[in-house]
Amino acid sequence: MKTLVINGHPDPESYNYALSEAYIKGAQESGLEIQSIHLKDLKFNPNLSYGYRKRSDLEPDLEHAIQLMQEADHLVWIFPVWWAGLPALMKGFIDRTFLPGITYGPKKGKGLPDKLWKGKTARLIFTSDSPKWYFRLFLHRPVLQQMKKGVLQFCGVGSIKHTHISIIKNSSEKFRKNHLERVHLLGKGGK
């Protein structure tokens, strides 16, 4: 199974970076085939300049990222939740790479497309400063719904699991270490 880790945090000193490295290390220890993308390292315009009326030319970094995503069996997305949603860089990455003919195939006269990524699985690992109960009961988990239903399942990705780590702000070293170990084990098991 080929796994691709996509880190959506723009800061290389962030806890999300540490989480992505913990997952990768666990996978490597188990001998799993793993690749990674840190979105902040890619050079691309995150704006879908023409909407879906006209396709913008893909930058080389996006072409390579699409190739890695297409080759992967399991996609691991690691990102912070900001204002109940995705970081702008990650949203722009999805807007620019999840395109007709790449992740889904529009059907003439039909509302729902062909799902081109059937057979893939995913894990969402996200952090927040909101308590889990607030995120679930009051906000209704918007970023989880967006990524799971609006993006991945729309394109055919099957089993999608998630790990929500909160509250990050002012968390203890023990709390952070425990979750790094938890994510390391997820990587070790290829989950």
Side-chain angles (χ1 to χ4, degrees), residues 33-44:
E33 189 173 344
I34 188 152
Q35 299 271 351
S36 65
I37 298 172
H38 293 286
L39 297 185
K40 76 139 201 90
D41 295 335
L42 305 184
K43 291 181 178 36
F44 70 99

Side-chain angles (χ1 to χ4, degrees), residues 2-7 35-44 58-77 89-90 92-99 102-103 117 120:
K2 294 181 180 179
T3 299
L4 176 65
V5 173
I6 302 166
N7 177 10
Q35 299 271 351
S36 65
I37 298 172
H38 293 286
L39 297 185
K40 76 139 201 90
D41 295 335
L42 305 184
K43 291 181 178 36
F44 70 99
L58 292 170
E59 294 86 345
D61 283 351
L62 291 186
E63 289 177 345
H64 182 66
I66 289 168
Q67 178 186 348
L68 291 176
M69 288 190 293
Q70 287 178 324
E71 291 172 356
D73 302 303
H74 186 61
L75 302 167
V76 179
W77 298 81
L89 182 63
M90 190 168 151
F93 175 78
I94 291 168
D95 286 348
R96 291 292 315 283
T97 58
F98 279 61
L99 299 169
I102 294 174
T103 58
W117 279 11
K120 293 185 185 298

Side-chain angles (χ1 to χ4, degrees), residues 7-186:
N7 177 10
H9 200 298
D11 181 0
E13 296 179 26
S14 69
Y15 185 58
N16 282 255
Y17 257 68
L19 290 168
S20 67
E21 293 305 311
Y23 189 98
I24 291 165
K25 184 178 178 190
Q28 289 171 336
E29 288 173 3
S30 291
L32 300 174
E33 189 173 344
I34 188 152
Q35 299 271 351
S36 65
I37 298 172
H38 293 286
L39 297 185
K40 76 139 201 90
D41 295 335
L42 305 184
K43 291 181 178 36
F44 70 99
N45 177 359
N47 295 311
L48 196 58
S49 299
Y50 307 105
Y52 289 98
R53 178 179 58 81
K54 174 182 165 187
R55 184 179 286 186
S56 299
D57 291 336
L58 292 170
E59 294 86 345
D61 283 351
L62 291 186
E63 289 177 345
H64 182 66
I66 289 168
Q67 178 186 348
L68 291 176
M69 288 190 293
Q70 287 178 324
E71 291 172 356
D73 302 303
H74 186 61
L75 302 167
V76 179
W77 298 81
I78 300 175
F79 57 95
V81 175
W82 290 340
W83 292 105
L86 299 171
L89 182 63
M90 190 168 151
K91 176 66 168 75
F93 175 78
I94 291 168
D95 286 348
R96 291 292 315 283
T97 58
F98 279 61
L99 299 169
I102 294 174
T103 58
Y104 66 95
K107 290 183 188 176
K108 193 168 181 133
K110 301 284 183 183
L112 294 176
D114 283 328
K115 299 174 180 200
L116 302 181
W117 279 11
K118 288 181 181 172
K120 293 185 185 298
T121 60
R123 161 77 61 178
L124 308 174
I125 300 172
F126 53 94
T127 60
S128 72
D129 289 333
S130 298
K132 288 181 187 179
W133 64 265
Y134 179 83
F135 187 73
R136 187 180 76 250
L137 297 174
F138 185 72
L139 296 178
H140 305 288
R141 305 190 292 190
V143 76
L144 179 60
Q145 298 304 317
Q146 178 184 18
M147 281 299 292
K148 187 174 181 179
K149 294 182 180 179
V151 177
L152 298 171
Q153 287 178 347
F154 184 83
C155 298
V157 177
S159 175
I160 302 167
K161 301 197 181 316
H162 76 276
T163 302
H164 180 184
I165 303 169
S166 79
I167 301 173
I168 298 300
K169 189 175 184 176
N170 300 322
S171 60
S172 69
E173 190 63 35
K174 181 180 179 187
F175 174 91
R176 289 174 179 239
K177 186 178 178 193
N178 286 344
H179 285 288
L180 286 171
E181 289 172 5
R182 181 178 172 205
V183 168
H184 177 262
L185 290 173
L186 288 172

